[in-house]
Amino acid sequence: MMKKGLILFAILIFSLDLAGCTRNNVNKNDVTKNNITTNRNNNVIDNRSKMRVADDAAEKIADLPEVDTANVIVTENNAYVAVKLSSESRNKGTKNIEHKISQRVKSTDRDIDHVYVSENPDFYDRMNTYASDIRNGKPVSGFFNEFTETIRRVFPKAK
């Protein structure tokens, strides 16, 4: 009987030790609350679905003279960018602007392979709502399917 107790005690200590080690594996520069992580790169990440708001990239995009504001959400290696163009840029060719935006996004995150840009006002509003929900800790699972469907409609060639 004493041997069983000793074995159970050893298993308990080993389990607690493992739990402590895994907690130490978290990046010291990240702040986590309710599965939402804000990392040192000023990105807000929902750890449950790997969707994140890339505020740094959005700020770099908004620094372009052609852009008033931007929202960027990243899933895996894809960045989805919703922009409001400045009034001077609205009826001009957007290919050059899209290229500049893509370069800014990729310069902030080298893991981004594909950048999808839209100036559609409805898409901008939806992206603003999604980004706000992620920042406020709302479960992404509640709108992930809607987000995916929106992406399919706005960017039919997106992978």
Side-chain angles (χ1 to χ4, degrees), residues 82 118-128 150 154:
S118 175
E119 61 179 287
N120 178 296
D122 292 332
F123 181 67
Y124 179 88
D125 291 342
R126 283 182 184 255
M127 289 286 283
N128 193 39
T150 300
V154 176

Side-chain angles (χ1 to χ4, degrees), residues 20 25 29 37 39-40 44 52 63 65 69 72 75 79 84 90 95 102 111 113 115 127-128 150:
N25 215 7
N29 294 318
T37 302
N39 68 17
R40 67 178 176 262
V44 181
R52 61 188 165 97
D63 286 342
T69 60
V72 181
T75 62
K84 280 190 179 179
R90 284 194 188 124
K95 285 296 176 194
S102 180
D111 293 332
D113 294 326
V115 179
M127 289 286 283
N128 193 39
T150 300

Side-chain angles (χ1 to χ4, degrees), residues 94-122:
T94 58
K95 285 296 176 194
N96 186 36
I97 297 169
E98 288 178 12
H99 180 72
K100 288 180 184 180
I101 290 170
S102 180
Q103 286 180 322
R104 297 256 172 141
V105 171
K106 289 179 179 180
S107 74
T108 56
D109 187 341
R110 303 267 183 227
D111 293 332
I112 299 295
D113 294 326
H114 308 283
V115 179
Y116 301 96
V117 181
S118 175
E119 61 179 287
N120 178 296
D122 292 332

